[in-house]
Amino acid sequence: MFDGTVKAGGSQESIAVQIDQLERHYLVGRDIEIQYFIEQLTDDQQQGRILNLYGTGGVGKSYLIDEFRRLAMNANAAFLLMDSRGFSHTPQAFCMQLLRMLGYPMEKLQQITEPQSLLELCHDILIEKALTQKLVLALDTFEDMGDMELWLREAFFPQLNPAILILIAGRFPLQGIWLSSPAWRHWIHRMPIGDLDYISVKQYLERSGISQETMIKQIWVKTRGHALTLSLIVSTTMVQNNQGLELVDGSEVFEHIVGIWLKEVPDDNLRELVETVAVLRHFNQELLSYVLDRQIKTDLFQWLIGLSFIRRVDRGWILHDLMRDAISYDLRLRQPEHYDWLWKRCIMFYYSRLTNQSKRKTIAWEVVEWYYYIGDHVVRNFCFQKSTPNLMETLNPSNLAEAEQYLYNRQLNLKEVCLPLQNPDTGERFEYMISKEECFYPIKHIHLQELYELDPGIVKLMRDPQGAICGLTAIIPIHTGTLDYLLTHPLSSAYFQSLPEHRLRELRVPIEHIAGYFVKTIDVTDFEDVAIRTTAGLSFISLLISSDFVVTTAPPDLSFLKEFHLSLGCEQVKNVAHYDYDINAPTPYYVLDTRGGKLQDYLNKMIASFGLLDHFKQPDDGMSMLSEREKEVVGLLVNGYTNQEIAADLYITEVTVKKHLTAVFRKLNVRNRTQLVNSYLKKT
């Protein structure tokens, strides 16, 4: 009879013990689940508890079940593991398998033919055994039970001794009647198993003999903390490279993992949906229907979101990061034109949302998605690699000393950085070097007390999961209380001094209003850390969403930062630069200005870069007849500028302004400025 123990003494047992010890050594990141199991195992008062362990394929459920078996063995409990793949899915086969595990004599077992007799015998033996020993009944791969699930719930489980601890493991949580019934819901304790966090991955790699920080981060990014992928990547790397200093490509590993996941998707129609959502960041039924240009039926969509590697989030559903990367990469290789078509359909979807006047006040999250699809690989590496970025905290007197210490430590530990990025579309890797001096630039002109006194909300501190400061931002709101500072202090003065007086008047709004923002710095301790990088990038994205006028600057030699700003639609300011980082190196400014009618111009410019402008051409309102300079004149005129102010803003003479206006009047068939303004406002 199986009694949950492993007896030492023979060579077989010794090997088994050694294997168990090694398996336990490499088990990381499951402390909460293990502690709960121990509590249930040792609680003599525990009655009728069902532990529901679930998670996507390869996430480590079986590994954890093995640890539960070891814990049961140490507690002198019997651990009965029933894998649904090991017997036919009938009540008779289930009972016979369980009775064999309980040590019931085979010759007697073969004489019993009635299913009800087998069921009663199972219950009798389990009740008898539970009187003398703690029992754990574990059912693995529960999603394959099929119709057996009903029999287990209605006929088998209700007759068990309530002291027996039941473990149900599979890809999906128990649903349906398990949850709608208050009685069953009372017995079930859900134990979702997710991917490992960075600390756990690092712990696993160090136990595997990989201690180089750079390589640990590369493996973390590559595996996303998926347990099976992590194990296979490490074993492949160590086999091919005894020193463990170079990470292998791992293509076969990812193909193997995707193959495991896709066993859930036998239907071709559903596979097409999985391939499509692999291109999307978030999705819902509406977006999926738009992108595929056909209505996705609700039953098919429900089937899709029921897959174990898809999970619900605030704004819809997402595909597991690792699977999304692998499938989208494969799709791009096999069907590049189809991949590009899906991507452009996403841009078109969010463009239509952003141009909908009635919805602009409620679509901040959709603007985030817009930036994801229009941004290049640098944007996606900096803003969209980690779904749970670090937390931000406003500077205040209680954390000021800690923030000052952060700046001191940053300056004390400056070093050259090699920033490895990967194009998520092509798999191509890039390396950007940041010199020791350039690492100092973001904090060179940061004086915390000065900024706090200017406006307490300017500086925000970034904290990692352990609570340590790992970065900070200094973003100055533009209004009458800050404009004089911006005109006279490093980093901002060159830009604001270049503005004509009427432009400065526009920015000198009351303190309770904000005309825009100047980004003085977004600094982090470690650009290689994905979570820190994501938090920094999203800080800038959030700023673009909340304001229609943003000014920023970035060291000139950091080409990836220029790519980052231009990819988001920022424009490099012409003929204006500062020398506050390096007296020998002019540093440019970048501006995103979507005030008034400029928003539509910005949106059109971005979709034109993808060759999509023709898809959204509006009925001709006469503006297409105007030259670019004439459109600029009209835009300023509509905002209330005088001829003199227009001339100063565009660096032309007043005579030229009048010539442009005369041409505009003629082309648009209006007589004067008032008619022009009224006509323009009606059409836009």
Side-chain angles (χ1 to χ4, degrees):
M1 182 185 298
F2 177 81
D3 61 3
T5 63
V6 177
K7 300 180 177 63
S11 59
Q12 294 272 346
E13 289 79 2
S14 297
I15 292 174
V17 170
Q18 291 178 26
I19 290 175
D20 273 348
Q21 290 173 346
L22 284 171
E23 294 282 9
R24 173 170 285 174
H25 176 70
Y26 288 104
L27 180 65
V28 296
R30 306 303 185 198
D31 295 343
I32 295 175
E33 292 81 5
I34 289 172
Q35 183 59 38
Y36 186 84
F37 181 80
I38 292 174
E39 291 172 1
Q40 296 301 307
L41 192 65
T42 57
D43 183 4
D44 294 333
Q45 305 302 315
Q46 184 274 126
Q47 295 287 308
R49 176 66 73 188
I50 296 177
L51 306 187
N52 181 204
L53 184 73
Y54 63 92
T56 190
V59 80
K61 298 184 295 296
S62 297
Y63 214 76
L64 186 56
I65 290 173
D66 268 348
E67 176 63 8
F68 289 167
R69 175 187 58 78
R70 287 188 286 269
L71 292 169
M73 177 187 70
N74 292 339
N76 198 32
F79 192 89
L80 308 173
L81 177 59
M82 300 278 291
D83 192 318
S84 70
R85 295 167 295 188
F87 57 88
S88 300
H89 295 161
T90 65
Q92 184 174 359
F94 179 90
C95 289
M96 292 185 70
Q97 173 74 2
L98 184 56
L99 287 167
R100 281 195 292 268
M101 294 183 66
L102 288 167
Y104 193 78
M106 283 295 297
E107 59 274 12
K108 292 185 178 181
L109 189 58
Q110 292 171 351
Q111 297 173 7
I112 305 174
T113 58
E114 289 294 325
Q116 185 61 31
S117 299
L118 284 170
L119 176 60
E120 291 173 359
L121 181 60
C122 273
H123 283 144
D124 291 343
I125 293 179
L126 287 171
I127 289 172
E128 180 184 352
K129 189 168 181 62
L131 295 175
T132 59
Q133 186 179 25
K134 185 76 175 184
L135 288 182
V136 181
L137 176 59
L139 307 181
D140 197 7
T141 328
F142 196 73
E143 65 272 11
D144 290 343
M145 284 290 189
D147 294 338
M148 280 288 293
E149 181 177 341
L150 175 63
W151 177 81
L152 288 166
R153 185 175 61 243
E154 301 298 330
F156 184 77
F157 289 152
Q159 301 304 317
L160 289 179
N161 186 321
I164 295 175
L165 182 61
I166 300 171
L167 173 66
I168 296 179
R171 293 194 177 196
F172 310 102
L174 293 174
Q175 301 179 54
I177 295 178
W178 295 105
L179 296 185
S180 61
S181 164
W184 282 115
R185 191 167 63 241
H186 171 75
W187 298 119
I188 295 170
H189 174 78
R190 288 194 168 199
M191 299 179 72
I193 304 299
D195 295 327
L196 300 171
D197 59 20
Y198 176 76
I199 299 300
S200 300
V201 170
K202 183 177 181 180
Q203 188 178 18
Y204 178 86
L205 293 175
E206 288 175 342
R207 292 179 182 182
S208 301
I210 298 175
S211 58
Q212 299 84 0
E213 191 70 24
T214 301
M215 191 168 186
I216 290 174
K217 289 178 179 177
Q218 287 179 359
I219 294 176
W220 160 246
V221 171
K222 200 172 186 70
T223 65
R224 308 298 182 94
H226 184 253
L228 180 57
T229 309
L230 176 65
S231 175
L232 293 176
I233 282 286
V234 169
S235 61
T236 307
T237 296
M238 299 306 287
V239 166
Q240 295 187 16
N241 180 7
N242 292 331
Q243 299 301 316
L245 298 176
E246 184 178 348
L247 184 62
V248 299
D249 175 68
S251 301
E252 294 181 0
V253 168
F254 293 104
E255 290 176 5
H256 175 66
I257 298 299
V258 171
I260 291 175
W261 277 327
L262 288 179
K263 288 180 181 178
E264 292 181 40
V265 195
D267 182 81
D268 288 341
N269 291 328
L270 192 56
R271 285 212 175 196
E272 182 193 16
L273 295 189
V274 171
E275 285 189 340
T276 302
V277 300
V279 181
L280 314 182
R281 197 172 93 93
H282 292 86
F283 71 91
N284 53 34
Q285 191 173 356
E286 179 186 10
L287 173 59
L288 197 53
S289 297
Y290 184 98
V291 169
L292 288 172
D293 202 18
R294 69 173 189 271
Q295 184 60 41
I296 302 301
K297 294 182 179 180
T298 300
D299 58 347
L300 188 60
F301 185 79
Q302 291 295 334
W303 191 7
L304 172 69
I305 62 177
L307 298 171
S308 71
F309 46 79
I310 288 177
R311 65 183 177 91
R312 184 77 165 87
V313 291
D314 289 344
R315 295 293 181 178
W317 289 263
I318 61 174
L319 192 64
H320 188 283
D321 288 343
L322 200 64
M323 189 169 186
R324 187 179 68 210
D325 290 349
I327 292 181
S328 63
Y329 178 68
D330 176 67
L331 180 63
R332 189 178 180 93
L333 289 179
R334 289 188 294 106
Q335 302 181 58
E337 291 187 5
H338 180 62
Y339 179 94
D340 290 341
W341 180 77
L342 293 174
W343 194 273
K344 289 177 180 179
R345 291 288 295 177
C346 293
I347 295 174
M348 292 161 66
F349 177 83
Y350 289 108
Y351 174 88
S352 64
R353 291 302 183 94
L354 296 178
T355 53
N356 188 328
Q357 296 281 351
S358 64
K359 294 185 177 180
R360 281 189 189 167
K361 299 295 183 182
T362 60
I363 57 172
W365 71 272
E366 290 174 306
V367 182
V368 175
E369 300 301 295
W370 161 263
Y371 285 125
Y372 173 78
Y373 291 109
I374 66 166
D376 64 3
H377 74 279
V378 178
V379 171
R380 293 200 288 282
N381 269 284
F382 270 68
C383 306
F384 300 103
Q385 284 290 301
K386 186 73 174 174
S387 57
T388 53
N390 296 308
L391 298 177
M392 302 297 289
E393 173 186 303
T394 303
L395 182 70
N396 59 69
S398 65
N399 58 29
L400 180 59
E402 187 182 5
E404 293 283 9
Q405 185 65 42
Y406 164 83
L407 291 179
Y408 175 77
N409 291 339
R410 276 277 288 110
Q411 189 167 354
L412 194 65
N413 298 303
L414 293 173
K415 61 180 181 180
E416 184 178 79
V417 173
C418 176
L419 180 60
L421 301 182
Q422 184 171 351
N423 188 325
D425 294 331
T426 64
E428 185 180 3
R429 296 184 64 83
F430 301 85
E431 284 190 350
Y432 296 100
M433 300 302 300
I434 307 176
S435 69
K436 184 176 179 180
E437 183 179 19
E438 288 165 338
C439 287
F440 176 58
Y441 288 162
I443 61 171
K444 185 174 183 179
H445 297 287
I446 301 302
H447 305 287
L448 296 177
Q449 186 65 44
E450 177 183 83
L451 292 170
Y452 180 77
E453 292 173 357
L454 180 65
D455 186 322
I458 288 175
V459 178
K460 289 184 171 55
L461 309 176
M462 187 189 309
R463 292 193 182 274
D464 64 20
Q466 288 70 47
I469 299 177
C470 57
L472 63 78
T473 65
I475 300 173
I476 302 175
I478 305 171
H479 50 62
T480 188
T482 60
L483 195 54
D484 289 339
Y485 174 93
L486 293 169
L487 283 162
T488 56
H489 282 68
L491 302 184
S492 58
S493 59
Y495 173 78
F496 286 93
Q497 287 177 14
S498 73
L499 299 178
E501 186 57 37
H502 65 276
R503 293 286 299 278
L504 291 174
R505 285 201 303 271
E506 288 180 355
L507 301 177
R508 203 177 287 277
V509 299
I511 294 178
E512 59 270 19
H513 299 291
I514 296 175
Y517 292 91
F518 175 74
V519 182
K520 194 173 182 75
T521 191
I522 297 179
D523 179 60
V524 297
T525 53
D526 185 2
F527 264 118
E528 294 182 50
D529 188 292
V530 177
I532 295 177
R533 205 165 67 211
T534 300
T535 306
L538 284 180
S539 297
F540 188 72
I541 292 288
S542 301
L543 188 64
L544 297 184
I545 294 171
S546 62
S547 177
D548 50 13
F549 181 60
V550 175
V551 184
T552 185
T553 184
D557 292 333
L558 300 183
S559 59
F560 65 90
L561 289 180
K562 179 177 181 178
E563 295 170 18
F564 175 84
H565 289 103
L566 296 181
S567 176
L568 291 172
C570 299
E571 294 189 353
Q572 185 172 332
V573 180
K574 298 178 181 178
N575 304 319
V576 181
H578 70 81
Y579 294 82
D580 298 322
Y581 290 140
D582 185 341
I583 195 171
N584 298 313
T587 300
Y589 290 96
Y590 301 93
V591 173
L592 184 60
D593 187 356
T594 57
R595 293 173 291 180
K598 296 178 182 178
L599 174 60
Q600 190 63 54
D601 293 338
Y602 160 74
L603 295 173
N604 288 345
K605 179 185 75 171
M606 298 313 296
I607 66 169
S609 66
F610 287 88
L612 292 172
L613 190 57
D614 289 343
H615 291 273
F616 290 98
K617 277 190 174 177
Q618 304 295 324
D620 186 20
D621 56 7
M623 294 298 290
S624 60
M625 295 186 294
L626 305 185
S627 68
E628 290 303 315
R629 179 62 86 184
E630 288 168 349
K631 290 178 183 178
E632 291 176 332
V633 171
V634 171
L636 294 174
L637 178 67
V638 169
N639 285 324
Y641 283 41
T642 65
N643 285 358
Q644 183 180 11
E645 290 171 337
I646 293 174
D649 194 80
L650 299 179
Y651 299 99
I652 57 179
T653 66
E654 285 188 66
V655 173
T656 303
V657 172
K658 291 177 181 178
K659 287 181 179 179
H660 284 313
L661 287 175
T662 299
V664 170
F665 293 162
R666 174 175 50 79
K667 291 179 180 179
L668 299 184
N669 195 25
V670 296
R671 296 182 179 180
N672 52 45
R673 300 166 71 97
T674 302
Q675 285 187 3
L676 173 60
V677 171
N678 291 337
S679 175
Y680 180 88
L681 292 177
K682 284 180 181 178
K683 292 171 179 176
T684 59

